[in-house]
Amino acid sequence: SITTQPKFRMNIGNQCCVFLSIFLCISICLGEDYDLDDKTGLGRSFDGIGGLSGGGATSRLLVNYAEPYRSQILDYLFKPTFGASLQILKVEIGGDAQTTDGTEPSHMHYEDDENYFRGYEWWLMKEAKKRNPNITLIGLPWAFPGWVGNGENWPYSFPDITASYVVSWILGAKQYHDLDIDYVGIWNERSFNSKYIKLLRYTLDKSGLERVKIIASDNLWEPISSVVIADKELQDAVEILGVHYPGTNTVPEALKTGKKLWSSEDYSTFNDNVGGGCWARILNQNYVNGKMTATISWNLVSSYYEDLPFERDGLMTAKEPWSGNYVVESPIWITAHTTQFTEPGWTYLQTVGHFTHGGSYVALTDERGNLTIITETMTHDHSVCIRPPLPSYDVTAQNVTFHLKGTFASISELQVWHSKRLHFILRCPWSFSIELDVDEVYTFTTVRNGQRGSYPDPPPSAPFPKSYKDDFDVSGNPYFSEAPNFADQTGVFEYFTNQTDPGPHVSTLRQVVTQRPVTWVADADQTISVIGDYQWQDLMVSCDIYMESVHTGGVFIAVRVNKGGGVVRSTRGVFLWVYADGTYKVTNDLNGMTVLAEGMSGTRARVWYTLTLTVKGNYASADLDGYPLWKNAVLWEPRHGWAAMGTSSFELAQFDNFAIEALA
């Protein structure tokens, strides 16, 4: 008999997931046969499925959600047997630099500076641990504050400085947040550095962090695989060989090392149903093809402005804290096919592989009688990932029969989770048959506690408010060191309490990065933080500003800012600049090459001023402390974009009483 349990129905786009019970009995089996057997031994140990917050600033808007929506999103990500039930959380060790969609603040802006309450990654790790105490935590630096490079745009010229910097973050996680970091990654797109890896291992051990393991090179299979084989000291230092976007394949040298192999960054694909198909295919085939025992999605949650690079490349979408709207996307439930019915420490069977007519299957056991089988039949066009290119292949509907052998022969009942729709199941002695259509995922399991977590629908989607104000009162945002909804693109803007001059500007937002960071992205020469609705056209922005650099100070406010992320240095818009030398200018670009107007402002450092910039149609005008600086500067492009503020270089400056009025 077949018993359906419709209360477990799960939406995946226009698809659904249903649990039902299969009672195995005697019958005649037809179709292709596949054995699931442990009598000849087992495969590699499963290490988990995870998500990546960072690389960069991809969870930026999540912390600004009001309750209960913020906790609901976190439950869909981390709560066991509820949604994605993630088993790994990897976060960026902030480096004050642009690393894809924004900057994340460092715990050490300067050599003599330490603060372990900046940014949102501490908060996120604690929320993940609250829901799943067994979740694996990983930290990886994508970039570093400028002082770490000691004048060079390279973090490994002074490996002792870099190692101490990274280890201080791990120690701070424990001391200030009671977080035990399990792994630390080493990444740089140019190469890996053997000397640094060994020194990092030594520094970890000397600091009492022997349990913290190293993932390297957290980029490519080679040359590290070959070097690990030849270098015993390096082999002892590295626990995991991690790779980014492997296309489900490994290389012979990596297998020869005997190390655990992880896809330590993968997916990076728009989270519609094709993205769900990509994720389903690689979760199975990373092991079937490449013997990778963990896969980590970049990114965890698409919680950054949609018009920044790689929009919606997350397991779910949460980009509107002002409305409370979020969307539980297809990849959340695809993840659940594995994570709700396995745990790290389970073991893959050796008898896993590809179906004759396309698709793949894996099977895992806890070696205590439990068995979980996951099948996928994703067609090429339904499972293309953003990278690498996917060769052509065919998948057709097929009937398959699984024969349970070895210790599994005594299993009499399996739960089934189906991603699409139900098919007839033919029951056989110690085996079962299933007709697999294309673009389906099934989980067959002895684990009975899987479920679909659900909450009432969140509020409807809504654009950013047309009228918006922030006086940067630090007491109003206890979780995060940066103001709600601002997305720092170069530099770091964080709350600052003026204890020496407790006047009307006692609590401000301060740009704190004073040296170009060590980074793989070409950060702009200016610092900039964006906010608002990318579709805004006619807008009035005002802000109180305070330049701290006496001779070289300069700040701006801007509208119609049309680029962010790694290409922010080429952004255009309308930028109103004032300088400590008493001048102003209006430019059509961030780097100040296209000047629309300029003149004398009388501004100087260490004095508060109020700037107002208004753009309507093809005309722009500005006021300084209520007095016109100029009127009707003519501009043609861009036609829309974010509001922004920033500084003319890496310098200290303060901002207060920021306000926006959208005029159209």
Side-chain angles (χ1 to χ4, degrees), residues 538-556:
D538 296 343
L539 200 65
M540 181 175 69
V541 175
S542 66
C543 188
D544 296 346
I545 60 94
Y546 182 89
M547 294 172 280
E548 298 187 39
S549 300
V550 174
H551 300 294
T552 59
V555 302
F556 69 82

Side-chain angles (χ1 to χ4, degrees), residues 576-579 581-586 597-601 629-630:
L576 166 61
W577 311 76
V578 294
Y579 298 94
D581 65 2
T583 63
Y584 80 88
K585 67 178 178 180
V586 185
E598 59 186 331
M600 301 302 298
S601 62
L629 278 179
W630 93 97

Side-chain angles (χ1 to χ4, degrees), residues 55-323:
T58 53
S59 304
R60 172 63 187 90
L61 298 174
L62 175 59
V63 73
N64 301 140
Y65 271 80
E67 295 293 353
Y69 310 115
R70 181 169 57 198
S71 289
Q72 292 173 5
I73 296 164
L74 293 166
D75 284 351
Y76 280 118
L77 292 168
F78 300 116
K79 187 176 179 180
T81 62
F82 187 86
S85 307
L86 291 172
Q87 298 152 330
I88 299 171
L89 173 60
K90 181 177 180 179
V91 304
E92 178 173 355
I93 300 175
D96 292 343
Q98 170 63 246
T99 54
T100 296
D101 289 292
T103 67
E104 297 199 29
S106 170
H107 61 289
M108 296 180 70
H109 293 317
Y110 325 111
E111 190 171 3
D112 59 352
D113 164 65
E114 287 187 73
N115 185 326
Y116 297 93
F117 295 91
R118 295 182 182 128
Y120 48 80
E121 302 295 8
W122 313 108
W123 166 82
L124 184 62
M125 287 188 285
K126 286 190 288 188
E127 292 295 325
K129 275 285 187 182
K130 185 189 302 182
R131 288 160 174 79
N132 178 7
N134 297 318
I135 196 167
T136 298
L137 297 180
I138 305 171
L140 172 68
W142 270 256
F144 301 85
W147 65 269
V148 174
N150 201 22
E152 299 183 26
N153 190 38
W154 181 244
Y156 304 129
S157 296
F158 303 90
D160 54 333
I161 295 176
T162 306
S164 295
Y165 169 82
V166 171
V167 170
S168 69
W169 183 87
I170 299 171
L171 291 170
K174 181 63 175 178
Q175 180 178 349
Y176 295 98
H177 302 285
D178 196 28
L179 291 168
D180 291 311
I181 305 301
D182 299 293
Y183 295 91
V184 61
I186 296 164
W187 177 83
N188 192 283
E189 67 169 4
R190 286 153 59 181
S191 70
F192 80 99
N193 186 290
S194 295
K195 180 179 179 181
Y196 170 70
I197 294 173
K198 297 172 186 177
L199 184 58
L200 178 60
R201 180 70 270 162
Y202 170 79
T203 307
L204 287 165
D205 294 345
K206 186 178 68 172
S207 303
L209 297 171
E210 294 87 353
R211 59 172 180 74
V212 179
K213 306 303 182 184
I214 293 175
I215 304 171
S217 64
D218 220 334
N219 189 12
L220 301 172
W221 291 125
E222 291 288 12
I224 192 169
S225 296
S226 297
V227 177
V228 162
I229 292 173
D231 187 333
K232 180 63 167 60
E233 187 180 357
L234 184 63
Q235 186 176 117
D236 292 340
V238 174
E239 178 76 8
I240 307 290
L241 291 184
V243 66
H244 292 188
Y245 308 100
T248 76
N249 295 310
T250 187
V251 298
E253 295 304 303
L255 293 168
K256 288 178 185 177
T257 66
K259 296 290 181 182
K260 288 175 175 280
L261 309 180
W262 286 10
S263 181
S264 53
E265 182 178 323
D266 215 330
Y267 177 63
S268 189
T269 299
F270 195 80
N271 58 21
D272 57 7
N273 279 344
V274 174
C278 156
W279 189 231
R281 177 175 55 81
I282 65 178
L283 285 185
N284 264 23
Q285 296 194 28
N286 273 350
Y287 185 77
V288 170
N289 299 339
K291 294 296 181 283
M292 287 167 270
T293 55
T295 298
I296 301 173
S297 165
W298 188 91
N299 52 67
L300 171 73
V301 53
S302 179
S303 198
Y304 46 97
Y305 285 117
E306 186 169 288
D307 293 282
L308 289 169
F310 301 99
E311 62 180 275
R312 280 184 54 187
D313 280 16
L315 297 179
M316 64 180 291
T317 302
K319 59 183 176 62
E320 291 186 15
W322 48 87
S323 72

Side-chain angles (χ1 to χ4, degrees), residues 499-649:
Q499 298 177 342
T500 60
D501 181 18
H505 300 287
V506 61
S507 182
T508 68
L509 204 65
R510 191 187 200 197
Q511 200 297 116
V512 296
V513 179
T514 58
Q515 185 179 0
R516 178 176 291 280
V518 178
T519 177
W520 61 281
V521 174
D523 284 52
D525 296 320
Q526 307 77 17
T527 73
I528 178 172
S529 187
V530 303
I531 188 171
D533 188 333
Y534 188 75
Q535 300 306 317
W536 275 339
Q537 299 180 18
D538 296 343
L539 200 65
M540 181 175 69
V541 175
S542 66
C543 188
D544 296 346
I545 60 94
Y546 182 89
M547 294 172 280
E548 298 187 39
S549 300
V550 174
H551 300 294
T552 59
V555 302
F556 69 82
I557 59 174
V559 300
R560 295 188 185 176
V561 174
N562 72 346
K563 289 182 183 178
V567 294
V568 68
R569 68 185 298 115
S570 63
T571 192
R572 299 182 64 197
V574 184
F575 295 82
L576 166 61
W577 311 76
V578 294
Y579 298 94
D581 65 2
T583 63
Y584 80 88
K585 67 178 178 180
V586 185
T587 70
N588 206 187
D589 53 353
L590 179 61
N591 62 19
M593 299 301 293
T594 305
V595 177
L596 303 176
E598 59 186 331
M600 301 302 298
S601 62
T603 50
R604 55 191 175 90
R606 300 176 184 173
V607 176
W608 280 98
Y609 300 97
T610 300
L611 297 181
T612 303
L613 173 63
T614 303
V615 176
K616 193 168 185 178
N618 295 333
Y619 297 96
S621 60
D623 292 353
L624 174 68
D625 287 343
Y627 295 95
L629 278 179
W630 93 97
K631 292 182 178 180
N632 297 335
V634 178
L635 60 124
W636 298 104
E637 295 291 342
R639 306 307 298 174
H640 59 84
W642 297 291
M645 63 186 187
T647 63
S648 62
S649 64

Side-chain angles (χ1 to χ4, degrees), residues 19 239 327 377 413 464:
F19 283 115
E239 178 76 8
V327 185
T377 51
E413 180 179 314
F464 195 92

